[in-house]
Amino acid sequence: LDTLAAENRPGRHGLWQRRVERRRAAHAPLLLTMAPQSLAPLRGRRHAEAVEVPVAVEASGPAAPVRDLDVLAYAADPVKRRLEFILEAWRRARRDEETLLVAGIEAERASAAGRAVPGVRFLGRLAPDEYRALLRRTRVFVAAPRREDFGIAPLEALADGAMLVTTPAPGPYAALELARRLDPRLVAEDLAPALRAALDAPAVDYAERAAALVRPFSRDAVTLTISERVLPRLMPGFMT
């Protein structure tokens, strides 16, 4: 689980889910969580033993010799990803011929106001390999989710060496703390100055330090966790 219905299913429509969820969390043989904060909404309620098993994320290939793309955003769900918020920040932050690329959505789905922002290019839906190839050429990945239940796209950006500019969204947002450790200037409610900081004065060795921080999310690390911490609990005698 990434997070609980207690956090992302508020209100009457999630009432039955939250009740069932509390029972399952208490009586399951083992809980597999994606992030350290995944069980925070239980607020001290009894729950089964938990092991953190994040989604495997690692570099998709060697970085491009030159990062020739300015800023990339992923907005398959423009409401949850707050596309309009990102576009407004870009309108204030952009200089000269800088370009914001928006993947995951066609231009027709963006509002007329969004389409009118200078220096924005909508890429539509891309194949995974094509999208990750863009990340390897991108200087800055920008995100502003309403809440983030895990956040694969920001982690992929860090794995591929792009600087992460993001708002401090609620939820078990795995990349958020990594972004703060890499460069706290790039985590802000106001994205415009954060974007300028990343583009004008990038932190030294950002990509190399990001690669080290995302290493616990690699496929090998996840496989090791499953073999050493998950299977022995579910299958007694597995390691003997």
Side-chain angles (χ1 to χ4, degrees):
L1 57 94
D2 48 10
T3 189
L4 298 172
E7 187 169 17
N8 65 10
R9 295 291 187 274
R12 296 180 60 187
H13 70 286
L15 181 61
W16 71 271
Q17 291 171 304
R18 297 194 298 272
R19 287 175 175 172
V20 171
E21 181 177 71
R22 287 195 296 269
R23 293 198 298 269
R24 296 293 185 267
H27 299 295
L30 186 66
L31 299 176
L32 303 184
T33 65
M34 291 187 185
Q37 303 87 7
S38 292
L39 299 179
L42 288 178
R43 296 179 178 86
R45 290 178 179 268
R46 184 171 65 91
H47 62 78
E49 181 183 7
V51 176
E52 184 181 339
V53 185
V55 174
V57 174
E58 50 194 5
S60 61
V66 177
R67 291 189 176 269
D68 58 341
L69 304 179
D70 299 313
V71 184
L72 176 65
Y74 178 76
D77 187 324
V79 175
K80 291 182 178 179
R81 300 296 160 196
R82 292 204 296 173
L83 176 59
E84 294 301 318
F85 183 87
I86 292 173
L87 295 177
E88 170 56 23
W90 182 244
R91 183 190 65 77
R92 293 184 287 117
R94 180 180 183 249
R95 292 179 186 168
D96 303 323
E97 299 301 314
E98 292 172 337
T99 301
L100 166 66
L101 303 178
V102 181
I105 181 174
E106 305 291 345
E108 293 73 17
R109 290 183 59 200
S111 71
R115 292 196 297 272
V117 176
V120 177
R121 180 182 166 202
F122 291 89
L123 303 177
R125 299 182 64 182
L126 302 174
D129 289 347
E130 185 179 1
Y131 171 74
R132 296 297 298 273
L134 288 179
L135 280 178
R136 299 196 300 273
R137 297 170 53 195
T138 296
R139 298 170 63 194
V140 178
F141 181 87
V142 61
R146 291 186 179 277
R147 57 164 291 108
E148 192 59 89
D149 290 339
F150 180 70
I152 294 176
L155 282 173
E156 289 178 336
L158 291 176
D160 279 329
M163 291 177 283
L164 174 57
V165 170
T166 182
T167 53
Y173 186 0
L176 180 58
E177 183 56 31
L178 305 187
R180 286 190 172 118
R181 292 169 61 183
L182 289 162
D183 190 342
R185 301 175 303 160
L186 309 191
V187 179
E189 293 289 355
D190 188 352
L191 292 177
L195 283 164
R196 288 273 35 113
L199 291 168
D200 296 338
V204 176
D205 298 329
Y206 188 103
E208 292 78 4
R209 292 184 291 118
L213 289 179
V214 299
R215 200 165 293 132
F217 297 89
S218 70
R219 187 172 300 277
D220 286 346
V222 172
T223 299
L224 186 64
T225 297
I226 292 173
S227 64
E228 292 189 349
R229 301 187 59 201
V230 176
L231 291 179
R233 286 167 170 81
L234 298 179
M235 303 169 61
F238 172 77
M239 300 297 290
T240 62

